[in-house]
Structure formats: structure tokens, C-alpha cells
Amino acid sequence: MGVNSNRVEHFDSHNGQTTTTIKISMPSSMPPSLEIHRVELPPERTTLQKLRQRLSEIFFPDDPLHRFKNQPCFMKLLLALQYFFPIFHWAPTYTISLLRSDTISGLTIASLAIPQGISYAKLANLPPIVGLYSSFVPPLIYSLLGSSRHLGVGPVSIASLVMGSMLSEQVSCTQNPILYLKLAFTATFFAGLFQASLGILRLGFVIDFLSKATLLGFMAGAAIIVSLQQLKGLLGIVHFTNKMQIIPVLQSVFKQRHEWSWQTIVLGFGFLAFLLITRHISLRKPKLFWVSAAAPLTSVILSTILVFLLRHKAHQIAIIGNLSKGLNPPSSNMLFFNGAYLALAIKTGIVTGLLSLTEGIAVGRTFASLKNYQVDGNKEMMAIGLMNIAGSCSSCYVTTGSFSRSAVNYNAGAQTAVSNIIMAAAVLVTLLFLVPLFYYTPNVVLAAIIITAVIGLIDYQGAYKLWKVDKLDFLACVCSFFGVLFISVPLGLGIAVAISVFKILLHVSRPNTLVLGNIPGTQIFHNVNQYKEALRVPSFLILAVESPIYFANSTYLQERILRWVREEEECTKANNRSSLKCIILDMTAVTAIDTSGLDTLCELRKMLEKRSLQLVLANPIGSVMEKLHTSTVLDSFGLKGVYLTVGEAVADISSSWKAEP
């Protein structure tokens, strides 16, 4: 501006730092190059138009109907089929080379899915055959409805653990096996209904409340609980606690020392070491992914042969026993929608549905990003939901996209969802012909497979990163972790979600307010604490609010701004600087304002006016400007009350002061 300036340093009591103020000799007139722009109102719209746009942004951010515009009726029908059944999109261009890749990957994940299905069913306290049923029907349905090319569908450890722990709290799987099975199928139905409803109503943002930090702690705590629960199988314990907290589990382990079986311990820890070694090899050399993928089935085959050969000498090693051969029997007659345990089934279904949905979508999006294609979250919710509804009627329990299966599927070269069909076909062959071969499979090997699978859920590096980056996220992670370990799985998750919601409320109710200064030689104004070269402009206090102004934070903002004003006045007196005359409120980051916020601005202007201070607004966005205008708040601010930029406000107001006699 062609001004003379002197630097003055002073101590800021708010942050305990020394900041620099620039003393400016104001120019006699504004530079001819600086033009004062008028702040325009957005185009007028009716209330219906505003509501329509807002609902569209909330529920249809991806504009799913854009592909139907200007299309003939036949094409619209085809596009609708492709939208609801993605198989119609890729099936017409499917080739033999793609089938070759999908067959290899499908058979590879089948070798992992069969032992995992049996193991995870045991984890949910369900008959092992239910795990195989759940690896047959759901993948077939997902291949028709799902949009991910690499998602390997089936039972997962977290959902199995949660279902087993929640149902076992009120119903014993050994004393009331039929009731327990009915509850599991009914919970699966409600899980699917909940998931499909979220997709149909496009309420996918609900799962965003399960933050990454929350899930990190939850999965680590669950992994430890699952691993400790498997000590029953690894040590050969017969009588074991049904509780899922760490203390009762450890107490049960040591109280039943007389039941420990050295034969079971040797066999279990031997195969556990084998599985961990193969996992380590695959982690160190990703090209050898097939080593860890084939290890579970290899362990099952070898242990089954070993126990069969030693069946007359190793009586203490518990085995799976007889499994019924054949396809999934219908289970719709086992669903119940009344009675004393209905609330338990609904609660279990919603919790397991939410967890499995979060995992499935996260896994699908992860592998989609690696291959540069998009996964529609709402379509995935509908696909997973309908898959579980159908599964509940065909003797399956909660299923979703498994990270371990999907990783193997991706590394094996899967190209489309046909890999799930191939996997289901392999499980079908197993159900029809190979199930009797699992009679001598020892339970201890299933425990070792589960432990190996869940160990990968403990991400200590991720927790350390949370500590370095965001302490509140780390707190949510730790609370989730210890909540699962010492209270219960669902309550631990609930505590973590509550902390995450509290964090959101804290940011909304206590937003940041910053003091801005001018970077010399420019019209740029930035935080004086972040940019040391940013200099305060005399007689001005320039503040920025980094949040919408709502009823939840309006009182806080008023008090905080008045405190900034008081501190600035005290500082100017202490340093003999020119007195404070104007407060400029930079509203660039104020994305919305409600009636409480508008009232706060009016009250703030009146309070400052009584102290002979001027309040000026800078750069309000369209929706905020519209509300300021509609509420007549702008009338009280006058012509010199709103500016397009902070620079224009400083220049214009300074010039008006200079022009005054």
C-alpha cells in the first residue's frame, strides 16, 4: 500500500507466545489498484428447491440417476438391471482368460474358506457344518449383487465372536442348542434387514460413526479375547467359562489345569507354530501369498490323518465328529419374531450387522482402490444385507467380506466376482462328498487356525501413529481396547463409539478461533501463531472462526470473541499502541449458521458498539449471506459492515478513518 511500518513485539497471554505487531502509517487514500467488491446474495430459490438440493446432497451425493439422463427406454431398463445386478455389467464381456484367473483364485480361497468356515462357526458356538453352509449360499448371492471384484465373502472372526459372546450371555449353546441355533439365524435375519435398509434408504453415513481409531482398539481387544478363548482347544480343556472378559477366561484356564492334555498341547502348538511361520513367510514375501493361504487346509488334512492313525492312542484329543452331508437345509421355519428372546436377537443382529457391514465395505474399497475402480457403498449394503437375509433362511449365520479371503483372492489374480462362484462350487463339492473326511479333524487345529487369523487384527503400529497424530483418537482406541477386554465386547464397542461422538460434539461446541495478521507486501491474512511473519494491523482485531455457528457453540463463540477483545485492549494499553477500533470476523470457514448464531452476531455487534468498537464481517459464504439478509441482520451492520475479503475491509475502513476530520 505504500505505507511506513515499525515492528512492536508483545506477549500474548492466551497462548504464552510473543507475537509481533506492525505499526502502520495509513496512506492518505486507497491504492488505485485495490477495488472494493460487493458481497452478492446467491440466486433466489424456493424452499422446495432448497430442501430438494439438501436432501440430494445428504442421500444422493453420487447422483446415481445421472446415467439414465437422455437415454431411450430400452437402455434405461438395461442400465437399471446393471445397477441392481452388477453381473449384467461385466458378464457380456467375460472371456476364457478371465475365467482361468477367477478359477485359480476361487480354488485358492476355497482352501482357506473351508477350514475358516468350520473354525469361525466354532467361535460363534455354532455347529461346524453351519460354517460350511455360510461359505456356500452367501458368496453366490453376492456374486450377483455385489460391486466389488475382489471381495471374498464368508464368515469373519469379529462377527462370529460378537454373535457368540452376545447370545451366550443369556442362552447356553450346550444346554439349549436348538434355541441357540434359532437365535443365531434370527439375529442373522435382522442383521441383513438392518444392512439392506441402510442401503435402500441410503443411510450409509451411519457406519462412519465407527471410526478407524475405534475399530483399531476394538479389533485388537477382540483378537486377544478370541486368542485366549482358544486356549480351551489348545490345552484340551473340557469345562470352560462362557464369559468373554480377560479375567474370567484366565481364571478358567488355570482353575482347570487338571484337564490339560499334553497330547493336545503338543499337537496344537506344533500346528500353531507351522501356521505362524507360513504367515510370516507370506508377509515378508508377498509373492508367496499362497503359502499362508494353503496352510490352514494343509493343517486340517495333516492333523486329521495324524489323529486317524493315532485314534487308539490319542483318546484325549477332541475331534469334530460327525458332520451331516448334503446341501444347506432350509431354516426359515427356525426364525421367530416374538417371545422372550426377540430383543436379544434384534440387538445381536444390529451389532453384528453394523460390524460386518463396516468390515465388508472397508475391505471392498481397499482392494478397489488398488485396481482403480469404484465400489458403491449403498449397493454393497444392499448386497450384503440381502445376502444375510437369504442366508438366515438357508442355515447360514452372519457373513460379510473377509479381509484374509479378499487379500488371497486379490493376490491370486481374481478379475471378477466369479471367483466367489468357484469358491462356492468347491464348498458344494465338500458338502456333498467330502464332509465325512472331517470326522477326525481335531478341535485344537481349528483353535490354532483362529489364533493365526486374529493375530493380524492387532495393529500396534497404527495405535502408535494415533498417539502421535491425535490424542483423542488414541483415547477412543484405548477405551475400546480395554472395554472389550475387561467389560464386554458390545459394551466396549459402545464406549468407543460414545467417545468418538463426544469428539465430534467437542469440535462442534468448542470450535477454533484464530487471530489473523497480514503477511507484509500482500493482501493475505493468516494465523499469527502459525506464520511468524504475519503482523497484526493496528486498531484492528482480525478473528477467524473455523466452524459453523450453531446453537451448540454460539454462546461459547460470543464469550471467546469478547475475551479476545479484552486481551487485545489490555495489550494495546500495556504497549502504548493505537487503541482498538474495529473487529473483523473472517467467516470464510463458517459453512452454516442458524438462528442462534444470527442472534449471537446481533448481540455481539450491540455489545461492541457500546464500547465504541465496530464489528465487520468478511467473506460470508452464499448460504450464510442469504440467512443474514433474510433475517435483516445485515441492516444493522450497514454498508460498511460486510466485505468480500479481510484485505478490502482493512483498506476501506482505514481509508475512512483517515478521511475523517
Side-chain angles (χ1 to χ4, degrees):
M1 291 185 188
V3 298
N4 296 320
S5 62
N6 294 311
R7 293 173 180 263
V8 175
E9 293 187 349
H10 69 279
F11 182 76
D12 193 328
S13 62
H14 172 63
N15 50 44
Q17 295 182 357
T18 301
T19 57
T20 305
T21 302
I22 183 172
K23 285 188 173 182
I24 302 178
S25 301
M26 295 297 175
S28 57
S29 62
M30 289 174 52
S33 60
L34 185 63
E35 180 183 355
I36 303 300
H37 298 84
R38 182 184 175 187
V39 182
E40 300 287 347
L41 288 168
E44 284 192 24
R45 294 176 302 165
T46 64
T47 302
L48 184 62
Q49 289 174 326
K50 293 176 186 177
L51 179 63
R52 181 180 177 183
Q53 182 185 4
R54 188 60 184 151
L55 292 176
S56 176
E57 290 173 355
I58 293 173
F59 298 107
F60 303 97
D62 54 343
D63 189 16
L65 300 179
H66 74 280
R67 66 180 69 187
F68 295 94
K69 294 177 181 177
N70 303 319
Q71 295 288 350
C73 292
F74 173 76
M75 186 56 67
K76 286 181 179 179
L77 178 61
L78 180 60
L79 291 173
L81 284 174
Q82 291 178 350
Y83 181 80
F84 290 106
F85 301 94
I87 190 172
F88 286 103
H89 181 73
W90 51 263
T93 58
Y94 199 73
T95 62
I96 296 296
S97 61
L98 293 177
L99 178 61
R100 188 183 304 112
S101 299
D102 287 335
T103 301
I104 294 172
S105 58
L107 293 175
T108 305
I109 58 173
S111 67
L112 179 65
I114 292 169
Q116 271 192 353
I118 296 172
S119 303
Y120 291 159
K122 296 280 286 182
L123 184 59
N125 299 320
L126 293 168
I129 194 66
V130 174
L132 290 180
Y133 292 155
S134 303
S135 298
F136 171 54
V137 172
L140 290 176
I141 296 174
Y142 182 83
S143 63
L144 298 175
L145 303 174
S147 57
S148 172
R149 304 172 195 166
H150 301 98
L151 199 66
V153 173
V156 293
S157 57
I158 294 298
S160 303
L161 165 70
V162 173
M163 174 172 283
S165 63
M166 292 184 71
L167 294 181
S168 297
E169 287 180 356
Q170 296 189 35
V171 178
S172 172
C173 60
T174 53
Q175 296 176 3
N176 296 299
I178 302 299
L179 175 60
Y180 189 91
L181 197 60
K182 288 181 177 180
L183 282 172
F185 293 152
T186 306
T188 301
F189 174 83
F190 282 110
L193 186 64
F194 173 69
Q195 293 165 334
S197 299
L198 288 181
I200 293 169
L201 299 175
R202 304 186 70 83
L203 297 174
F205 58 84
V206 170
I207 65 173
D208 293 335
F209 283 97
L210 286 174
S211 65
K212 183 178 179 181
T214 298
L215 289 174
L216 195 70
F218 173 78
M219 289 191 295
I224 292 176
I225 287 293
V226 169
S227 300
L228 292 175
Q229 278 279 344
Q230 301 319 302
L231 291 176
K232 173 186 176 182
L234 281 178
L235 301 176
I237 299 174
V238 178
H239 302 92
F240 201 73
T241 180
N242 289 326
K243 296 181 179 179
M244 300 300 293
Q245 297 82 19
I246 186 171
I247 294 176
V249 169
L250 290 177
Q251 286 177 340
S252 182
V253 168
F254 290 104
K255 280 183 178 179
Q256 307 298 333
R257 280 176 296 180
H258 61 281
E259 293 186 359
W260 292 11
S261 165
W262 70 267
Q263 297 169 324
T264 304
I265 293 172
V266 171
L267 185 66
F269 280 94
F271 278 102
L272 179 61
F274 168 70
L275 290 165
L276 291 175
I277 290 170
T278 57
R279 180 178 181 273
H280 180 71
I281 291 171
S282 296
L283 288 175
R284 292 290 298 272
K285 296 183 178 181
K287 290 185 179 179
L288 298 177
F289 70 92
W290 54 270
V291 174
S292 63
L297 186 59
T298 303
S299 299
V300 169
I301 294 172
L302 292 177
S303 63
T304 303
I305 294 173
L306 187 61
V307 171
F308 175 75
L309 295 176
L310 300 174
R311 63 186 181 280
H312 299 300
K313 298 180 181 179
H315 298 291
Q316 292 183 319
I317 299 177
I319 58 176
I320 289 179
N322 187 46
L323 296 178
S324 56
K325 192 166 63 171
L327 292 177
N328 298 36
S331 58
S332 56
N333 60 321
M334 300 183 74
L335 302 179
F336 64 91
F337 303 104
N338 52 48
Y341 295 106
L342 179 60
L344 174 64
I346 294 174
K347 182 174 69 171
T348 304
I350 290 176
V351 174
T352 55
L354 190 62
L355 283 172
S356 60
L357 194 61
T358 303
E359 181 175 354
I361 292 178
V363 171
R365 285 176 174 170
T366 297
F367 290 101
S369 64
L370 296 176
K371 284 293 185 179
N372 198 28
Y373 69 92
Q374 201 168 15
V375 168
D376 188 324
N378 288 295
K379 285 165 65 176
E380 287 295 285
M381 291 178 201
M382 287 189 285
I384 294 174
L386 293 174
M387 175 179 81
N388 279 314
I389 290 174
S392 68
C393 299
S394 54
S395 301
C396 305
Y397 76 107
V398 175
T399 54
T400 187
S402 163
F403 183 82
S404 57
R405 293 190 200 188
S406 302
V408 170
N409 200 25
Y410 174 84
N411 289 317
Q415 300 296 321
T416 67
V418 170
S419 60
N420 274 303
I421 298 176
I422 301 297
M423 179 193 73
V427 174
L428 173 63
V429 172
T430 303
L431 286 169
L432 292 177
F433 306 107
L434 305 180
V435 161
L437 299 179
F438 291 101
Y439 183 89
Y440 285 101
T441 300
N443 289 331
V444 64
V445 168
L446 302 181
I449 291 172
I450 291 173
I451 291 174
T452 308
V454 300
I455 278 177
L457 299 176
I458 304 175
D459 185 5
Y460 61 90
Q461 292 179 335
Y464 177 68
K465 185 178 179 182
L466 288 177
W467 169 257
K468 289 181 65 178
V469 176
D470 192 319
K471 300 298 187 291
L472 271 177
D473 271 351
F474 180 76
L475 178 63
C477 175
V478 169
C479 288
S480 177
F481 177 74
F482 286 109
V484 169
L485 283 183
F486 291 99
I487 304 176
S488 71
V489 172
L491 280 178
L493 182 64
I495 291 170
V497 171
I499 291 175
S500 298
V501 172
F502 172 75
K503 179 184 174 183
I504 296 171
L505 295 176
L506 186 65
H507 285 308
V508 170
S509 61
R510 294 295 183 268
N512 284 337
T513 53
L514 310 171
V515 176
L516 306 184
N518 176 246
I519 296 179
T522 71
Q523 287 292 319
I524 299 173
F525 290 79
H526 264 300
N527 183 4
V528 294
N529 292 325
Q530 183 179 0
Y531 295 89
K532 300 305 179 185
E533 65 271 26
L535 307 175
R536 297 194 188 212
V537 181
S539 301
F540 287 92
L541 175 60
I542 306 169
L543 300 174
V545 178
E546 295 185 331
S547 164
I549 303 178
Y550 288 137
F551 66 93
N553 62 23
S554 58
T555 302
Y556 166 79
L557 285 173
Q558 178 177 315
E559 293 172 350
R560 190 67 192 89
I561 290 171
L562 290 174
R563 179 182 166 187
W564 280 118
V565 172
R566 186 187 71 245
E567 290 175 352
E568 184 68 15
E569 287 179 332
E570 292 172 354
C571 198
T572 54
K573 289 179 181 178
N575 292 280
N576 295 321
R577 301 200 322 264
S578 54
S579 60
L580 182 63
K581 296 181 180 179
C582 181
I583 292 87
I584 299 176
L585 200 60
D586 185 358
M587 302 183 71
T588 304
V590 180
T591 55
I593 191 169
D594 66 359
T595 53
S596 297
L598 294 170
D599 291 340
T600 296
L601 288 180
C602 288
E603 291 175 16
L604 191 60
R605 185 194 61 79
K606 291 176 183 177
M607 295 172 72
L608 294 174
E609 203 172 57
K610 290 179 181 179
R611 299 163 65 169
S612 301
L613 296 173
Q614 182 182 2
L615 178 63
V616 171
L617 308 180
N619 196 27
I621 67 168
S623 60
V624 173
M625 187 65 183
E626 187 176 23
K627 288 188 177 181
L628 289 170
H629 173 73
T630 306
S631 63
T632 69
V633 171
L634 285 180
D635 297 342
S636 61
F637 277 83
L639 294 175
K640 297 289 186 179
V642 184
Y643 289 87
L644 188 60
T645 67
V646 173
E648 290 184 6
V650 171
D652 190 33
I653 295 170
S654 300
S655 298
S656 65
W657 290 344
K658 188 67 176 177
E660 291 177 0

